[in-house]
């Protein structure tokens, strides 16, 4: 009996074109769209340059390689916004916090800073790298531009992945919310599962309820099938985004897999509630589901990244109870933070969200007869 | 014969509307019971209460000697239902649909497959086994709907207007199938608003109107309730008003009307009505082309009991 229902449900759902479109092909198309639209923006998007000063003395002018490096990092790569000044002005600028640090070339190249921070670390790292390369390649021929490139590569690798709020590629956030959205689209299957088992919602459910099959057993099998399909679809999207579009999701595969599984459960249970919320047709309900999910994704920053921060600042509660936001945040924290605290707190919120949805559905579902069908 | 279904004083209200009122009846083993009533008379409501799909306000329902409840799985396993609306899966073919629904009752694959084949035979869908429901005509779709409800060989079958909007060929096929199921031993509860169907099919008929049983019995018993003996229709090319008046004065004549060359005469109970009529037309030298005589129908019974036509 279990297999009979399981196999048939699987077949029925996989053949449902509109459902598979919404839960698989639409998100894939959206991912592709994001990729095409935002990969441009991202390369144009300016990294907030680090303000520095260089003491423009004789030694600096004589160190041709360094002079070229700083010029290209300032003018072409826009990593530094550099003022060439005398020592007194440099000190004054640092004093007034108008620069993060200044560089003084004497026998050695020294960096003067007031406080420690990521920008200061970057300045120092550039100087350190320059020293290393210079000593290593002292005797071989190396082009000036080559030094710049090596240093840039190193900066990209070590820092630009790591500087919260500075060089965070906002594109990544769009893909995170997309994963959140597709998890919630599990709701399509949740709506369907309820429609197929509540006799006041569909004729086929009435047929089921006059059969000797226990309604809750049937529903559990339907939800299991729903989970399997939606989870596979989420993983397909994730693979597409990570391996084909090459969007960076970090290396923590297992937490991502656990998170999306929980997200899928949250989505399906959310769909169950939408399914039970009114007596409209399945189309009406999926309409509601799509709108609500889109709204939640929008609020989590899917179309305009800044919305996410606006909501978090002004209506923090809304950000806290928004499951798309929970998924986005968890993915985000996996990528940007070294510890898993934030990840776990979001995962936990997601579990609570699902638990509430499932409990409420169960209470409504225990009804066995209806006043009207 | 024992009763397989007993309904006592069933009452069901939808908000303000009393859909079923004090309904009491029983269904005997292996009979075909017809629930006849116009649209909105409470047929579907009654069936849904019997099936424990709907809450009702008062009354009791026993099936196979036990109270019917949503958890009465042993009773449910012996029931088959064909709902008024078609309820099949668009994503499954004819044979897959029947197999799916049959599989909710029958675990054994071999037996199930045999039952499915028999159901397909019964409703005559052999040429459409691998069709998707979308490709089926209305009549064929209804046949599929029936097959899905009865493939598991239930001992009690509820059919709620299975022939609505069905072409005559499909209708005959469906009625034949139901007779066959009954011959094989199934008790059948059949609702319809087509009186011809209950006359052909049913051993006993319950006539419902506005949720109340207004009459019940065999078709013959019901017809005895009416005061009409027969209805005569005669095609006469030209007829003067004074002659029409004379028809009215004939013995046992209840009603006479003349409309587009057709003269309708309704007779009350009595003897020799037709002989007297023909005699009268001979003496008056009235020429007529065609002459039909009909016995009263259930529609006449309904008309007399409620003052309105069964069919709208
Ligand atoms: N879910 C409902 N809510 C409110 N009123 C209803 C509901 N279902 C039916 N009714 C009303 O109850 C009465 C009986 O309806 P029911 O469907 O049982 O009639 P029926 O005999 O099956 O009619 P039909 O031949 O049209 O199928 C009708 O007046 C109908 O309008
Ligand atoms: Mg009805």
């Amino acid at each position: 009996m279990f297999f009979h229902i399981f196999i048939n449900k699987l077949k029925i759902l996989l053949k449902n074109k509109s459902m598979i479109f919404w839960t698989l092909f639409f998100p894939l198309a959206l991912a592709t769209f994001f990729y095409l639209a935002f990969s441009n923006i991202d390369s144009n998007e300016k990294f907030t340059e680090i303000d520095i000063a260089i003491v423009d003395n004789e030694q600096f002018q004589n160190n041709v390689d360094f002079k070229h490096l700083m010029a290209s990092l300032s003018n072409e790569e826009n990593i530094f916004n550099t003022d060439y000044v005398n020592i007194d002005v440099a000190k004054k600028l640092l004093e007034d916090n108008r620069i993060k640090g200044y560089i003084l070339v004497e026998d050695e190249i020294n960096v003067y800073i007031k406080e420690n921070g990521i920008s200061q670390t970057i300045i120092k790292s550039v100087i350190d790298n320059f020293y290393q390369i210079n000593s290593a390649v002292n005797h071989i021929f190396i082009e000036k531009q080559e030094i710049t490139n090596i240093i840039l590569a190193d900066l990209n690798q070590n820092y630009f992945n790591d500087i919260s709020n500075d060089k965070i590629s906002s594109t990544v956030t769009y893909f995170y919310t997309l994963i959140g959205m597709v998890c919630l689209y599990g709701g399509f299957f949740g709506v369907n599962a309820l429609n197929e088992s509540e006799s006041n919602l569909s004729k086929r459910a009435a047929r089921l309820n006059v059969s000797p099959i226990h309604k809750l057993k049937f529903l559990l099998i339907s939800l299991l099938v729903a989970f399997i399909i939606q989870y596979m679809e989420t993983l397909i999207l994730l693979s597409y985004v990570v391996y084909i579009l090459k969007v960076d999701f970090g290396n923590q595969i297992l937490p991502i897999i656990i998170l999306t599984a929980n997200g899928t459960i949250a989505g399906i249970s959310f769909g169950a509630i939408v399914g039970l919320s009114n007596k409209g047709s399945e189309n009406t309900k999926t309409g509601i589901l799509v709108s609500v999910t889109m709204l939640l994704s929008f609020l989590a920053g899917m179309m305009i990244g800044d919305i996410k921060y606006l909501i978090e600042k002004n209506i923090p509660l809304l950000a806290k109870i928004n499951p798309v936001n929970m998924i986005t945040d968890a993915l985000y924290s996996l990528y940007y933070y070294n510890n898993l605290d934030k990840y776990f707190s979001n995962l936990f919120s997601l579990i609570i969200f699902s638990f509430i949805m499932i409990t409420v559905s169960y209470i409504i579902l225990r009804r066995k007869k209806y006043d009207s069908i | 014969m024992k009763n397989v279904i007993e309904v006592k004083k069933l009452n069901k209200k939808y908000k303000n509307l009393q859909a079923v009122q004090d309904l009491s009846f029983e269904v005997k083993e292996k009979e075909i019971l017809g629930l006849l009533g116009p649209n909105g008379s409470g047929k579907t409501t009654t069936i849904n209460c019997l099936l424990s799909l709907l809450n009702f306000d008062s009354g009791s329902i026993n099936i196979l000697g036990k109270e019917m409840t949503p958890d009465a799985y042993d009773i449910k396993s012996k029931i088959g239902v064909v709902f008024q609306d078609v309820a099949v899966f668009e994503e499954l073919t004819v044979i897959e649909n029947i197999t799916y629904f049959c599989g909710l009752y029958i675990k054994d694959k071999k037996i199930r497959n045999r039952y499915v084949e028999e159901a397909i035979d019964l409703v005559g869908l052999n040429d459409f086994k691998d069709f998707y429901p979308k490709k089926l005509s209305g009549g064929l779709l209804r046949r599929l709907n029936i097959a899905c409800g009865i493939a598991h060989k239930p001992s009690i079958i509820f059919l709620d207007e299975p022939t609505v909007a069905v072409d005559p060929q499909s209708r005959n096929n469906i009625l034949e199938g139901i007779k066959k199921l009954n011959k094989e031993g199934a008790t059948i509860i059949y609702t319809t608003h087509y009186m011809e169907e209950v006359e052909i099919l049913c051993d006993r008929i319950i006539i419902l109107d506005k949720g109340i049983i207004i009459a019940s019995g065999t078709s013959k018993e019901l017809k005895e309730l009416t005061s009409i003996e027969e209805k005569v229709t005669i095609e006469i090319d030209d007829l003067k008003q004074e002659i029409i008046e004379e028809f009215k004065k004939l013995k046992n004549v209840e009603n006479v009307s003349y409309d587009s060359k057709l003269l309708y005469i309704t007779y009350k109970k009595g003897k020799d009505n037709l002989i007297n009529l023909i005699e009268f037309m001979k003496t008056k030298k009235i020429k007529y082309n065609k002459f039909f005589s009909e016995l009263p129908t259930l529609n006449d019974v309904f008309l007399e009991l409620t003052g309105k036509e069964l069919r709208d």
Side-chain angles (χ1 to χ4, degrees), chain A residues 1 4-5 8 11-12 15-16 196 199 203-204 206-214 218 368-373, chain B residues 12 48 52-55 70-71 73 76 83 85 87-89 91 96 99-101 103-105 107 112 132 145 148:
Chain A
M1 207 64 58
H4 178 72
I5 298 173
N8 276 289
K11 200 161 159 187
I12 291 165
K15 279 187 175 178
N16 187 320
E196 293 294 334
S199 37
K203 299 297 171 210
R204 282 191 296 263
R207 186 161 253 171
L208 174 87
N209 280 301
V210 298
S211 82
I213 303 290
H214 198 291
F218 176 83
K368 288 179 174 160
K369 287 191 193 177
Y370 301 88
D371 290 332
S372 154
I373 65 172
Chain B
K12 164 71 188 167
N48 286 341
S52 255
L53 292 171
L54 276 178
N55 279 318
D71 299 323
Y73 296 115
K76 286 182 173 182
F83 287 100
D85 304 290
V88 296
F89 288 99
E91 295 87 358
E96 287 170 339
T99 306
Y100 172 71
F101 287 111
L104 301 179
Y105 298 80
K107 277 187 193 152
R112 187 199 301 158
Y132 283 95
N145 197 42
C148 290

Side-chain angles (χ1 to χ4, degrees), chain B residues 15-26:
Chain B
K15 297 212 175 93
N16 301 320
L17 184 110
Q18 187 77 40
V20 168
Q21 194 173 345
D22 276 336
L23 217 62
S24 298
F25 66 92
E26 60 280 330

Side-chain angles (χ1 to χ4, degrees), chain B residues 39-40 42-45 84 160-161 191:
Chain B
N39 291 119
K43 303 182 294 291
T44 301
T45 305
Q84 185 166 359
D160 195 357
E161 309 209 28
T191 87

